Amino acid sequence: QAADYARRSLTQRVPTLLDGDFALSESSAITEYLDQAYPESSVYPADVQQRARARQVQAWLRSDLLPIRQERSTLVVFCGQKRPPLSAEAQAAATKLISAAQALLADNREYLCGQWSIADVDLAVMLNRLILNGDPVPAQLVAYAQRQWQRPSVREWVELRRPAL
């Protein structure tokens, strides 16, 4: 099965989207493709500035905060794996994440950009790396991440059957 995946996925990375005979890897490429290929189910805000903000948040989550990603992999999110306390470097990254998320969601906003976008899911995944491991996260951000997790399409994704570790 790994050889089949490697043949389909140019970068041999997760995630890889299969849309008919077309395979595409890398999260940002996938979300931009989906937004353009299926405009009736847009994953980005229509407003150009809000769209830019959503992409900014996604780019920041992917390019920064490496210590969190290293110490709280998605195995914490999708497989319930528990990890030891954060290192000082990862704790500094967590503090940075929490501060930025609180600023982005000031006034208890339900969504980053006034309406749901894929950036909300990305931020919720990053927050859940901490929340689901039991790391301290302010209640407002826990509630935000839980709201994103309750979206039917997100529930379906979270509950996908995954191979045993």
Side-chain angles (χ1 to χ4, degrees):
Q1 196 170 27
D4 184 47
Y5 184 80
R7 185 178 42 62
R8 289 181 179 200
S9 175
L10 177 68
T11 62
Q12 299 182 24
R13 291 183 48 157
V14 173
T16 293
L17 170 75
L18 296 176
D19 189 15
D21 292 337
F22 180 66
L24 184 66
S25 299
E26 302 303 325
S27 297
S28 58
I30 290 169
T31 56
E32 289 181 27
Y33 169 78
L34 291 172
D35 199 57
Q36 292 175 348
Y38 300 95
E40 68 280 3
S41 300
S42 184
V43 295
Y44 286 106
D47 178 81
V48 69
Q49 290 181 343
Q50 292 301 326
R51 179 179 289 255
R53 176 69 69 214
R55 287 186 170 148
Q56 174 192 23
V57 169
Q58 287 182 300
W60 175 67
L61 291 170
R62 291 181 181 122
S63 66
D64 204 350
L65 310 173
L66 180 62
I68 296 172
R69 290 193 315 274
Q70 289 175 327
E71 295 184 29
R72 299 291 183 265
S73 80
T74 55
L75 294 176
V76 169
V77 175
F78 297 111
C79 301
Q81 184 181 76
K82 297 292 185 186
R83 305 291 301 151
L86 294 170
S87 67
E89 186 180 21
Q91 185 56 58
T95 299
K96 187 177 180 180
L97 169 64
I98 289 167
S99 176
Q102 287 176 316
L104 288 163
L105 297 166
D107 305 321
N108 288 320
R109 274 183 235 152
E110 190 170 350
Y111 303 112
L112 290 170
C113 301
Q115 65 186 58
W116 178 87
S117 79
I118 196 68
D120 288 295
V121 176
D122 285 348
L123 180 56
V125 168
M126 188 59 81
L127 289 169
N128 274 330
R129 288 171 183 257
L130 302 172
I131 295 165
L132 297 174
N133 193 73
D135 298 308
V137 174
Q140 169 207 11
L141 298 180
V142 171
Y144 165 81
Q146 288 173 340
R147 276 194 312 274
Q148 304 318 311
W149 240 228
Q150 293 312 309
R151 187 175 175 81
S153 57
V154 174
R155 289 275 5 119
E156 186 177 336
W157 172 62
V158 169
E159 292 170 0
L160 280 174
R161 191 175 157 140
R162 291 178 170 78
L165 297 177

